[in-house]
């Protein structure tokens, strides 16, 4: 009797993000490459300004609830970026050159 064990290779689907120059990295489990994922901060920011990612594209072994929580954090961080930019523009309009 012989046995064959094949480990899956998990890879984030990044075809739609080509050209954005988003950093990816290998996921290693027990010293073996298990896949490739998008590198993000804890808030979901990628290496490309203004681009956020969450869920299984960033953590290949994440559960559904963990992915949902990561999506919430990324959405909050993106919202903060938008508010910050709106505030900056309003201040510039109200006090040009300051």
């Amino acid at each position: 009797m012989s046995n064959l064990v094949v480990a899956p290779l998990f890879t984030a689907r990044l075809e739609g993000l080509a050209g954005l120059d988003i950093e990816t990295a290998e996921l290693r489990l027990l010293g073996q490459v298990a896949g490739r994922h998008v590198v993000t901060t804890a808030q979901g920011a990628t290496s490309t300004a203004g681009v956020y990612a969450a869920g299984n594209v960033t953590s290949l072994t994440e559960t559904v609830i963990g992915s949902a929580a990561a999506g919430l954090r990324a959405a909050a961080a993106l919202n903060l970026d938008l508010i910050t930019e709106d505030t900056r523009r309003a201040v510039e309009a109200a006090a040009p050159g300051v």
Side-chain angles (χ1 to χ4, degrees):
M1 174 184 225
S2 58
N3 296 313
L4 174 64
V5 177
V6 178
L9 181 63
F10 302 101
T11 302
R13 294 182 183 161
L14 304 174
E15 298 83 16
L17 304 177
L20 292 178
D21 197 30
I22 294 174
E23 180 184 357
T24 62
E26 290 180 342
L27 169 68
R28 291 189 163 272
L29 298 173
L30 303 174
Q32 301 296 316
V33 175
R36 190 151 202 87
H37 65 95
V38 173
V39 176
T40 63
T41 65
Q43 293 76 31
T46 67
S47 58
T48 301
V51 177
Y52 289 80
N56 292 98
V57 74
T58 63
S59 179
L60 301 173
T61 58
E62 188 60 83
T63 62
V64 171
I65 196 68
S67 292
L72 177 62
R73 286 190 302 275
L78 174 59
N79 190 48
L80 178 61
D81 276 359
L82 294 172
I83 291 169
T84 301
E85 179 62 17
D86 284 349
T87 302
R88 184 189 63 76
R89 289 181 183 185
V91 169
E92 283 180 0
V98 173

